[in-house]
Amino acid sequence: MKFTEEHEWLREEDGLIVVGITEHAAEQLGDVVFVELPEEGTEVAKDDEVVVIESVKAASDILAPIDGEIVEVNSVLADEPAKVNDDPLGDAWFFKIKASDPSQMDDMMDEAAYKAFIG
Amino acid sequence: MSDLRVTPLNALHRELGAKMVPFAGYDMPVQYKLGVMKEHLHCRAEAGLFDVSHMGQVILRHPDGVEAAALALESLVPVDVAGLASGRQRYGFFTNEAGGIMDDLMLANRGDHLFVVVNAACKEADIAHMRAHLTGCEVEEISDRALLALQGPKAEAVLEALVPGVADMRFMDVAIMASEYGELWISRSGYTGEDGYEISVPASEAEEFARALLSHEAVEPIGLGARDSLRLEAGLCLYGHDIDEETSPVEARLTWAIQKLRRAGGAREGGFPGAERILAELSDGAARHRVGLRPEGRAPMREGTELYAEAEGGTPIGRVTSGAFGPTIEAPMSMGYVPKDVSAEGTQLFGDVRGKRQPVTVAALPFTPANFKR
């Protein structure tokens, strides 16, 4: 598993990269009440805003961590946004991306580095 | 951080695991371990304890008695203060010369004096305003007391066990009661739409009193986050957001707080700052109104969202002044100002959310029915 400074996690699964947010991010957001997901098939570039999350506190964006095509989104989150707080590392993944340049992940943090990053 | 003031319950908040934020110059709990959503629902179902000690508590006295103090205060608020019976409380607001709202407040007749509670962010200005204009009145800021709110359907049973007699109070009654936590100044009121009490307690006893309330299984501590969503569901204004120095009480649809006696033709007509505009709007109507708004879907329409009459094009006709997700109604909710001709319930408007026009319907306030013991 890899982590970004934007508090996303990336996990490789069947040749795709699954993306979600970390427990730390979910806790900082507070109760999530709305998730807007991108359309499947969307081509994205690293740092494009792809997901909007609204919590009881504020709206925030999730950025595409790498270039590629969004091939699947977790549409359950649209109806059950609270899953993001309940299981951010598991059930509440946001989208799966077909990476056009997997080497973009090479410089990302591993779990130990991310833990150090959030202090 | 070092400039932030603390309430007498600061250590208790930290012990309870609160997330602390700066609010109106105070270090305040925005949420505890339950989180905003569960705290909100708990307060509606059982009872919630809020620290509102940052608010201003003020006693007004006049050497000629409470009626003289009341008549003096009437020069600053468009409210029938002198007609308020002993032991009763009323909502009101300080108006400015332009007919806008300087602050909203609770005022109570406590027999031989008035007790006033004002917003934290405005309290210094309010006290200066009262000292400047309430000729002959003594304006005493109470700084050695905490203020707690116990709100929710179980508030009565919880408080009655500690302070026998409070169950007999009606909505907007006030009472001074002796207790093992010192003298308590109690009102049956709040800012959630639920039944409940606001209790002023000596600062030295506040933590023990709060612990006694929290020891009841029905009571959870509630932070500012849920306080905001509770009051918005209840359709209550937040000063500085839904009402401010520009908005008149008529625009804000708070005319229920202006008794007939202070209106045109009343025995004590006018005589408050901005009376010209406010009385004119009372008879002719205001050009815009505060309304409830129910956005379609689940996305909240937050403060500052511009409102349009059309799905495309046009110019903004109004603005959202408060917006959040309502945990009880399980839907987003907002309040805002719109022109009178589109202020009827059921009118469809559009809010610009992240560059997209989202449908939103003008809705009745409150979003959740009030649960007061009248």
Side-chain angles (χ1 to χ4, degrees), chain B residues 280-295:
Chain B
E281 286 186 356
L282 276 167
S283 59
D284 306 335
R288 58 174 192 155
H289 282 157
R290 178 174 62 94
V291 294
L293 297 162
R294 293 286 295 260

Side-chain angles (χ1 to χ4, degrees), chain B residues 145-164:
Chain B
R145 284 182 160 263
L147 190 63
L148 276 59
L150 184 69
Q151 302 277 294
K154 298 201 174 157
E156 179 187 276
V158 170
L159 192 60
E160 177 71 18
L162 288 182
V163 190

Side-chain angles (χ1 to χ4, degrees), chain B residues 217-230:
Chain B
E217 59 175 11
V219 181
E220 288 287 343
I222 314 289
L224 292 175
R227 181 169 163 83
D228 191 55
S229 53
L230 286 159

